[in-house]
Amino acid sequence: MADFKTADICGASPNLNGVLEKMDSLKNSLSSSLTVDPSALASTLSSKVGELSSSLSGMIPELPSAPDVSLQAELTALSNINLSLPSGLLEYRSKLDSITNQFGDSLTNSGFSLDDLVSQVAPLNIPSVGGLTDAVSGAVSSLTGGVSGAVSDLTGGLSGAVSDLTGGLSGGGSSVDLCSVVPNFKLPDGATEAAEAAAETLMADAPGVAEKVAEVTANPEVANVQADLKKVVDAVSNGTAYSKASTTVEIKSKDVAQTPIKVAKVKDNLTSREETNDAGETVTIRERPRTVDTTVAKYFDKPVDETMYTYAQWTALPKGGTFSGGKYYTNLKGQWDIRHKDSSSVSSSLPSHMIAPTEMKDGSFFNSVRYKGYYIVDRFTDTNIQVFRPVNIIYVKAILKDKLKKDGAPGSAGGAVTITNYTLNRGTKDVDNYIVVPNKEQYAYIQIKFEQGTVYNANFKDETRESLTT
């Protein structure tokens, strides 16, 4: 780097030297004025700082105040030139030359053609001057035939040709949207290369479109559920959800003295009263709810999930031949052999939850072996086609064993038959619910689709006010 303090050295800057000298002078003034009165020091420093500020300002060039030259603005001005006047033609040519000098090379380097842009937004259409030439030639030729006739022809020909020429001149007034055709090139003041800028933001010149408020349509199923739930809430609030008991139940207990005491359970659970028992003691009598109004509390077992069980009777599956077949027989029988307690080959190494019958949480037992979506049994009985917490049976279908192909796949039978004469025997626990199918030995697969409840109600199907009132 050049030593700027050395006189006449190459690369030295007088302006920078002046700033450095002012800084050194300010430092020397501070160093030599440590014992000077503060007011005098302030005056000296103010002068030195002003000189340094002036030197720094002198190094900064003045920012240009001229705006950028816009290609879009220049072509707009070009398209607005009146070409019907002779001066307009000269102005058009001069303006086009200026635009070419300023933006021609930059447009070409960016893949644009200035000629193409001008032809779209500011075309100059000049008709052929052949008519004018022909008129002059004709007039000169006829001059030899007669001066007066030639002059007349020359005047008429020139007038028509000039009229055609003037009328054929056109420019400006283009119907093309200039801002959508011409790229947004700008030439900064003092620059020699124009650069393309992002498109300018357009301002709306039309009122905004009003947004239509979305219309919400209530789901009729949800509305029905809400209405039913409201009935339940209202019934509980006004005390009509429960019916009165029809009989009185005696409850016997003993007091501290171990004397038998008879307590009567009365009919109305919404009221209480006091009575004197056989021992002469006053007791309060209240009723226990005995029945549920099913027209109100019909969601006792809801919500429900649709579930499908597919039972397979492996003894009804085809065993196959020497070379093929018997795939499902082999797989399902193999699982039953090692996982069912009735099999002589049951595995002792498997955990208890994989061995059937499997005990459920409520103490009931699931009798089949569950494997890859199938519930495997050796033979269909009235107590091994089970369903878990059934609220409603949707359908029972079966596949006849005589329709199966050699591999025993359910799809090989060509379709299932629907069983309508089945019976659902409900129990008191989760899986003590059995589908009883007549002539069940003729089927290889039985499929049950049903609604499974979340809270089990053993009396859901046959529940009546009479059966619950005891």
Side-chain angles (χ1 to χ4, degrees):
M1 184 175 180
D3 182 4
F4 295 110
K5 295 183 180 181
T6 302
D8 300 328
I9 191 171
C10 294
S13 170
N15 292 331
L16 180 57
N17 286 343
V19 171
L20 295 177
E21 289 175 359
K22 296 295 189 299
M23 292 178 65
D24 290 341
S25 176
L26 179 60
K27 288 167 56 179
N28 294 333
S29 297
L30 289 172
S31 300
S32 61
S33 303
L34 295 177
T35 58
V36 178
D37 182 75
S39 59
L41 179 60
S43 176
T44 301
L45 291 179
S46 177
S47 174
K48 296 294 184 181
V49 169
E51 294 175 358
L52 178 59
S53 177
S54 299
S55 298
L56 287 173
S57 299
M59 292 185 62
I60 301 173
E62 184 178 357
L63 294 177
S65 58
D68 297 342
V69 180
S70 169
L71 175 62
Q72 293 178 345
E74 292 297 291
L75 288 180
T76 300
L78 181 66
S79 67
N80 291 331
I81 295 176
N82 185 0
L83 299 179
S84 63
L85 300 175
S87 59
L89 291 174
L90 298 177
E91 182 182 359
Y92 182 93
R93 176 52 61 188
S94 175
K95 188 69 173 178
L96 182 57
D97 291 342
S98 175
I99 295 173
T100 302
N101 293 333
Q102 292 174 318
F103 297 98
D105 294 340
S106 299
L107 288 171
T108 301
N109 295 335
S110 299
F112 295 98
S113 170
L114 179 59
D115 293 339
D116 182 56
L117 296 176
V118 171
S119 65
Q120 295 183 65
V121 300
L124 175 62
N125 298 323
I126 302 178
S128 172
V129 296
L132 179 60
T133 304
D134 293 341
V136 174
S137 300
V140 173
S141 299
S142 60
L143 183 60
T144 57
V147 175
S148 59
V151 172
S152 176
D153 292 341
L154 179 60
T155 304
L158 290 176
S159 299
V162 171
S163 176
D164 292 341
L165 181 61
T166 305
L169 293 174
S170 63
S174 174
S175 60
V176 178
D177 182 9
L178 186 143
C179 294
S180 64
V181 174
V182 179
N184 190 24
F185 272 78
K186 293 184 178 181
L187 181 66
D189 184 45
T192 58
E193 283 289 334
E196 185 177 7
E200 304 291 352
T201 302
L202 302 178
M203 298 299 293
D205 57 359
V209 178
E211 181 178 0
K212 183 179 180 181
V213 179
E215 297 180 359
V216 180
T217 302
N219 188 319
E221 295 183 3
V222 175
N224 291 337
V225 172
Q226 291 174 336
D228 290 336
L229 291 177
K230 185 177 185 302
K231 290 180 182 180
V232 175
V233 174
D234 293 343
V236 173
S237 300
N238 57 35
T240 60
Y242 304 99
S243 64
K244 298 180 180 179
S246 60
T247 60
T248 300
V249 179
E250 291 185 354
I251 301 176
K252 295 183 179 181
S253 60
K254 294 182 178 181
D255 59 9
V256 178
Q258 300 299 308
T259 303
I261 300 175
K262 180 181 178 182
V263 181
K265 182 72 68 174
V266 298
K267 297 181 178 180
D268 192 357
N269 65 323
L270 300 177
T271 61
S272 63
R273 58 189 174 86
E274 293 182 348
E275 288 185 356
T276 303
N277 60 16
D278 294 341
E281 298 173 333
T282 301
V283 295
T284 300
I285 308 300
R286 295 184 177 87
E287 184 188 24
R288 175 170 60 93
R290 302 308 305 277
T291 63
V292 176
D293 187 347
T294 56
T295 62
V296 174
K298 64 181 180 180
Y299 290 98
F300 190 75
D301 285 302
K302 302 295 179 70
V304 298
D305 294 323
E306 285 193 1
T307 307
M308 185 180 297
Y309 285 4
T310 301
Y311 280 86
Q313 181 180 213
W314 66 263
T315 56
L317 299 176
K319 297 180 181 180
T322 304
F323 300 102
S324 63
K327 174 182 176 182
Y328 278 73
Y329 172 86
T330 302
N331 290 341
L332 301 186
K333 178 182 182 300
Q335 288 295 318
W336 190 89
D337 284 344
I338 64 173
R339 293 178 54 191
H340 202 282
K341 291 180 180 179
D342 292 345
S343 170
S344 59
S345 304
V346 63
S347 175
S348 59
S349 61
L350 293 175
S352 59
H353 70 272
M354 294 185 64
I355 304 297
T358 306
E359 185 174 4
M360 310 298 288
K361 291 182 179 180
D362 66 343
S364 56
F365 285 88
F366 207 87
N367 296 319
S368 60
V369 174
R370 284 174 280 187
Y371 173 71
K372 291 187 176 181
Y374 294 99
Y375 294 83
I376 309 170
V377 299
D378 56 343
R379 287 177 176 82
F380 290 140
T381 69
D382 292 345
T383 57
N384 66 3
I385 306 176
Q386 299 167 275
V387 284
F388 181 82
R389 294 181 181 177
V391 174
N392 177 49
I393 303 298
I394 299 175
Y395 66 71
V396 177
K397 295 183 178 181
I399 294 179
L400 294 166
K401 64 181 182 180
D402 295 339
K403 298 292 185 179
L404 292 173
K405 303 300 182 183
K406 289 191 297 183
D407 64 351
S412 68
V417 295
T418 300
I419 301 174
T420 58
N421 59 343
Y422 67 88
T423 303
L424 170 63
N425 291 337
R426 292 183 179 272
T428 59
K429 295 183 179 180
D430 284 345
V431 292
D432 288 349
N433 310 286
Y434 308 105
I435 301 293
V436 179
V437 178
N439 302 319
K440 47 190 166 293
E441 62 278 355
Q442 64 180 318
Y443 304 117
Y445 298 94
I446 294 178
Q447 186 178 78
I448 307 100
K449 185 175 183 180
F450 64 99
E451 291 180 343
Q452 177 180 294
T454 54
V455 179
Y456 186 71
N457 172 14
N459 296 313
F460 181 84
K461 181 177 181 181
D462 303 320
E463 182 177 17
T464 63
R465 180 168 295 132
E466 289 74 23
S467 65
L468 289 179
T469 303
T470 57

